[in-house]
Every structure is written in C-alpha cells, then in structure tokens.
Amino acid sequence: MPKNRNSGTIAGRTYEDRSEEDNRNEQEMSDRLERRLQAMDPITVEIDSRTRHRRERVTVDFVDRDQAEVNTEGGSYRVNIGVGTCTCPDYMHRQGRCRHIEAVDVAREQARQGIMPGSREDIETFNGQVLSEQQRAETAAELRNAARARTDDDFFYTEHPDVFESDMARLQGEPVPYSYENVLNGSDITFGIELEFVHGDSDAIAAELYQMGICGNDSMSGYHGRRVPGKWALERDGSVTSGSRGGELISPILTDTPETWRTIEKVCDVAKRHGAQVNFQTGGHVHIGASEALDGKKQRWRRFFKMGAGFEQVYKRISGGEQGVFRGGHYAASSEDLNRTGIVMRLPGEGGTSDFFSRISRRLGQKYRMINFTPLGSKKTVEFRGFNGTLTPGVIQANVKFAAGMVLSAERSRLRSTESLISTDSDKKRANIINAYEENNQRSNEAIMRTLDVVFFRKEDKQHVLSVIAKNSWSRH
C-alpha cells in the first residue's frame, strides 16, 4: 500500500511549526544532557573491532559539546560530534562512519537513558558514582515536560454509523497516512517493533543503516545476537533467512517522537532499496510496555483480557498488511482462549506488579499467539504477534497505534472514577462496550466500529486504522 509522506501534521500543525516554547524546551534538555556528559568521567562502551574480529572495550571522554576523545587499544582519536568526523585512519581513508563515531553515539545514548558502563541494564551507577537526586529529578522533569495532554474528542462511530460507512468507502481508495508528531495521543508509553523480511541483501541493509547511525552492526547478526543499546539490529531468523538474504529488523526501545517515526521510515526505505520484501511467511511484531499503564491493577488487566477476547476478529483484519488478509498459522495462533482464561483467573492482590506479571506470564505464556504474554515476566511488555510482515510505514504506525491503544484503553476505560483517574462519560461508554466482549468478536462493520471506539480516543486515529481495515478482508482462519 502507498504511504502519504505529506501527512506529518496533527490538527494542521507541522513539526516545523513548533512553538518557540517547544524549541526552548528541546534546547534546554539538550543543554542539560551536554553538561551532564562533560561532568562525567570517561564512559566505557563495547564496539565491534573488524580488525581484531571481536568486541572491544573503549572509553569515550566528552571534551565539550562538539568533541569527544575515544581511547582504544590502537590509539586515541578525536570525534567531531557536530559534523560526524574522526581523526582515525579508517575515517580519513573511507570518509565514512567509523567505529569511533559509533562509540560516541552509544555513549551518548547510555548517558541519556541512565545506562552506565559495565552493565546493559538500567542501573544508575557510573564508575562507583551514583546519580544525584538532582539529576534524577531533572530527568523526571524532562519527561514530564515532553509529555503531551491526551485528547478525547468524544466521537463514536457507533453513534454515527453513516459517517463510518462514508469513511470506510472513501479510505479504501486513499493512501494509508503517516504522521510524525503526537502519534500516540500524548502518551509516553514505550514500544518496540520487529520487521521480518525475505529476499533482501541483509548485509547491505545493515551496512547502510550502520553508516546512517541507525543500526548497531554493519552486517547481519546471529539470532538473538549481542545488541548495541539504543540502536536497531538486523538479525538472522530461521523462518525467513536463507544464506545472507532475509532477516529481522529489530528496533531499540522507542517512544512517540518525530525522530522515531522518521527513523522507521528510513529503515523501511533502505530495506526495500536492497530488495527486502514481505509475504505470508513474514510477521511484524509490536511490543508495548505494560508496567505503567497496566501495572498491578486487577481491573485494568480484566479489561485488557476482555478486549483481547472480544476484538480478535477485528485485530485479524487490521493485521492483513500488504497481503490484504491475516496470514494465521503456527507463529500467530489465536489468543482468544488465553484472554478468556485471563478474564476469570485469580490474580494477586493490588499493587504487586511483579507478582501480576510473573503469574500472567506463567499461566498464559505461550509465545506463538496473536497476543504473547511471555515477555511480561522478563521485559514487562506485551507482544502483539498477529500483524503480517510490512515495510509500509503507515501500516506499521497503524499497528503500533492499535497495540498501544489496547493497553492505554484498558487503563482509562472505566465505569467509576478513582483518586488518580476521573472517568468521563466517554470512558464509561467504552467500558460498557468492553464488558460486552461476548458480542464484540464478530466479522461485521458493527464489530469494527465498537473496536475503534474503544481503542482510540481521537477520530483521526480511528480513521488511520480504518484506512488499513478498508483495504483488507476478513480472515479465513
């Protein structure tokens, strides 16, 4: 399906039209990060050494906001961060991205995320130092400043079926839109994507993405190989890889930023340029962070399970991708039975997030299901495996919207208010639709309207996903 490259707007506001306040906030956060980097001791990271054929530990010392000193076994080199140059012989000869520039990018990402040397976990220690409470407060404030308010336009297709019919007919012939700003309606929920493909030259794809600073390695890695924090990976996958062709593009942890969506667009463009294709063998998996929205709250999980059981037929229709119909099969089997079990299963007491996730993962953890609960135990994510493989950014974005919307609606759609969340009339309408899950799992326009009304709070998001649904057929499975 074609994509609309000119739809990077929300309510007529483009990324370039950001307010002066937006720009000031972004500059302030950038300045804070630069000051923090310069105040730190040298950061130790691991990078690939092509000459030594192994991983090498190097140190990165940030001299100022534009320059860093990279110390390796073979010598010390100066990286100009602003223009992307290095004084090493490799860069001087090839005039291309070298491993020292890569090391600087990795160190900056580790510092930004609070990932410190000697660990690939989110541990707030750095060469024996502990990040100060002031730094933690600054990080939390930066995240709060970046957050945007959720919009609920109170529009329901179920109350305007004539509008639904008109939109459905119109969107069937229009490109799937693609936006860059506020895609997830003010949410800072985390997500990750995995894009399987066939036929493409995997080493060439990885090499070009590496030169662009996107991929952590310059060739295809082994299955579940070592990954560079904050970078994409291209890994071998036995179900789609043949020799050096075909593989799986795996994102780092992502959030809803213009950079995220522009990077996804670049990844798809590079992959297709080197021959990557999708077919009924390939899947497009979406992981959604569940620790904040679902937490250790029984009723949130009950609502999620009810949506999983009630919206599966519509989920299948959304999943058709370029093939136009859900692929089904062993790697994306129905999860309706697991969700029905979740509705009635005994859950731990309120507040025990780890207990919740561990129990759900053990009881419902079957990897090759449309909704995979296995990662809850280790990664605290829910994986949506039903989507067909796609390299169309607009379809990928629709898939992320749907998966994130399921989790976020489970948090918000309630009949009663709590101390932290006020239940609006629209929230109550959605809760009532969720509770009628036995009626929802149908192959009908009514089921599509009910699903979209629950999962999305903005008409524009309903229309985005409807533009995918309109081009697909109901599943044969």
Side-chain angles (χ1 to χ4, degrees):
M1 298 178 203
K3 60 179 176 284
N4 183 355
R5 292 177 180 269
N6 299 317
S7 57
T9 63
I10 297 295
R13 182 172 180 261
T14 67
Y15 182 55
E16 289 73 17
D17 293 335
R18 295 178 306 172
S19 68
E20 291 184 6
E21 182 180 359
D22 291 336
N23 292 326
R24 284 197 302 271
N25 287 340
E26 181 177 310
Q27 184 62 48
E28 182 181 354
M29 286 188 282
S30 175
D31 291 342
R32 285 179 180 175
L33 175 59
E34 297 298 337
R35 291 196 298 270
R36 191 173 301 170
L37 289 170
Q38 293 171 40
M40 285 181 171
D41 293 338
I43 300 176
T44 301
V45 300
E46 286 190 355
I47 56 175
D48 285 321
S49 174
R50 288 190 291 272
T51 57
R52 296 178 176 84
H53 304 290
R54 59 178 171 81
R55 301 282 290 180
E56 180 184 352
R57 293 171 67 85
V58 304
T59 60
V60 179
D61 188 3
F62 290 92
V63 180
D64 55 40
R65 69 181 299 131
D66 294 319
Q67 298 187 83
E69 196 81 21
V70 181
N71 302 295
T72 74
E73 294 177 14
S76 297
Y77 304 99
R78 181 66 63 98
V79 171
N80 187 310
I81 301 169
V83 297
T85 61
C86 181
T87 60
C88 74
D90 181 36
Y91 180 86
M92 300 300 288
H93 174 67
R94 295 190 303 115
Q95 294 293 302
R97 184 178 176 82
C98 65
R99 64 197 188 100
H100 310 105
I101 296 174
E102 175 69 22
V104 171
D105 285 350
V106 172
R108 285 168 59 86
E109 182 66 18
Q110 287 184 355
R112 186 184 70 81
Q113 294 187 15
I115 302 173
M116 300 304 155
S119 171
R120 291 188 176 274
E121 304 298 326
D122 191 8
I123 301 173
E124 291 186 335
T125 57
F126 180 78
N127 288 356
Q129 300 173 347
V130 179
L131 288 180
S132 68
E133 292 297 328
Q134 180 180 358
Q135 288 174 329
R136 292 177 187 164
E138 282 183 1
T139 301
E142 288 164 5
L143 292 174
R144 286 196 298 271
N145 288 337
R148 294 149 292 192
R150 178 188 71 126
T151 298
D152 191 338
D153 58 20
D154 302 318
F155 175 85
F156 285 75
Y157 271 135
T158 47
E159 296 175 353
H160 303 279
D162 56 330
V163 176
F164 172 83
E165 296 288 349
S166 174
D167 284 351
M168 183 85 154
R170 173 177 56 83
L171 292 168
Q172 189 172 13
E174 293 185 2
V176 177
Y178 192 66
S179 301
Y180 301 99
E181 269 201 285
N182 197 16
V183 172
L184 299 182
N185 192 13
S187 172
D188 59 359
I189 196 167
T190 58
F191 64 94
I193 59 176
E194 299 166 356
L195 308 175
E196 295 177 351
F197 64 91
V198 294
H199 303 317
D201 186 337
S202 298
D203 288 336
I205 295 169
E208 182 168 347
L209 292 175
Y210 176 81
Q211 290 294 326
M212 295 170 69
I214 294 172
C215 191
N217 297 298
D218 62 0
S219 61
M220 180 167 58
S221 305
Y223 181 64
H224 285 183
R226 199 166 195 175
R227 298 175 188 170
V228 178
K231 298 292 184 180
W232 284 68
L234 199 167
E235 295 184 357
R236 180 178 300 276
D237 187 306
S239 65
V240 294
T241 303
S242 177
S244 62
R245 308 191 76 82
E248 184 175 35
L249 286 156
I250 303 168
S251 79
I253 297 173
L254 303 173
T255 54
D256 178 13
T257 67
E259 181 184 5
T260 288
W261 303 111
R262 294 185 192 280
T263 299
I264 290 172
E265 191 173 42
K266 292 174 185 176
V267 168
C268 292
D269 285 345
V270 170
K272 288 185 286 189
R273 191 178 334 115
H274 290 287
Q277 300 175 20
V278 295
N279 58 21
F280 281 109
Q281 288 178 258
T282 60
H285 310 150
V286 178
H287 289 258
I288 300 294
S291 57
E292 293 296 328
L294 296 182
D295 202 2
K297 303 291 191 296
K298 291 182 180 180
Q299 293 309 314
R300 295 182 187 182
W301 277 105
R302 302 283 187 217
R303 289 191 288 270
F304 182 84
F305 293 137
K306 288 176 181 178
M307 284 190 283
F311 298 156
E312 184 168 294
Q313 289 299 326
V314 176
Y315 175 16
K316 288 179 179 179
R317 182 153 175 177
I318 294 170
S319 299
E322 279 91 324
Q323 289 74 46
V325 65
F326 173 60
R327 74 193 189 284
H330 170 72
Y331 292 108
S334 170
S335 55
E336 182 181 353
D337 60 326
L338 300 181
N339 283 293
R340 287 183 176 275
T341 298
I343 294 170
V344 298
M345 72 181 286
R346 183 177 179 182
L347 293 171
E350 294 289 319
T353 304
S354 296
D355 288 342
F356 261 81
F357 288 5
S358 295
R359 184 172 298 188
I360 292 170
S361 178
R362 288 196 306 269
R363 181 76 181 275
L364 305 180
Q366 297 184 33
K367 179 177 179 179
Y368 298 126
R369 298 297 194 103
M370 290 181 66
I371 298 179
N372 172 25
F373 297 100
T374 305
L376 275 173
S378 57
K379 301 177 182 178
K380 294 182 171 53
T381 64
V382 177
E383 181 186 21
F384 289 74
R385 294 183 56 89
F387 304 115
N388 288 13
T390 179
L391 293 172
T392 301
V395 176
I396 294 169
Q397 192 171 77
N399 294 346
V400 172
K401 280 187 175 185
F402 178 76
M406 287 266 290
V407 172
L408 295 169
S409 184
E411 176 189 19
R412 298 285 320 187
S413 301
R414 57 183 68 224
L415 293 172
R416 298 180 181 84
S417 298
T418 66
E419 291 183 2
S420 59
L421 288 173
I422 298 175
S423 181
T424 66
D425 288 342
S426 292
D427 291 332
K428 294 172 184 176
K429 290 177 185 177
R430 296 186 185 98
N432 282 321
I433 295 174
I434 291 172
N435 286 335
Y437 64 94
E438 295 285 6
E439 305 170 15
N440 294 334
N441 201 24
Q442 308 293 325
R443 301 177 186 180
S444 66
N445 284 352
E446 177 69 20
I448 295 173
M449 288 189 288
R450 293 167 73 86
T451 301
L452 296 178
D453 283 347
V454 167
V455 175
F456 301 113
F457 303 155
R458 301 183 299 187
K459 185 181 180 183
E460 66 191 68
D461 298 323
K462 294 177 172 70
Q463 290 175 325
H464 185 168
V465 175
L466 185 59
S467 73
V468 177
I469 292 174
K471 298 172 180 63
N472 294 342
S473 303
W474 290 108
S475 169
R476 299 185 294 266
H477 299 277

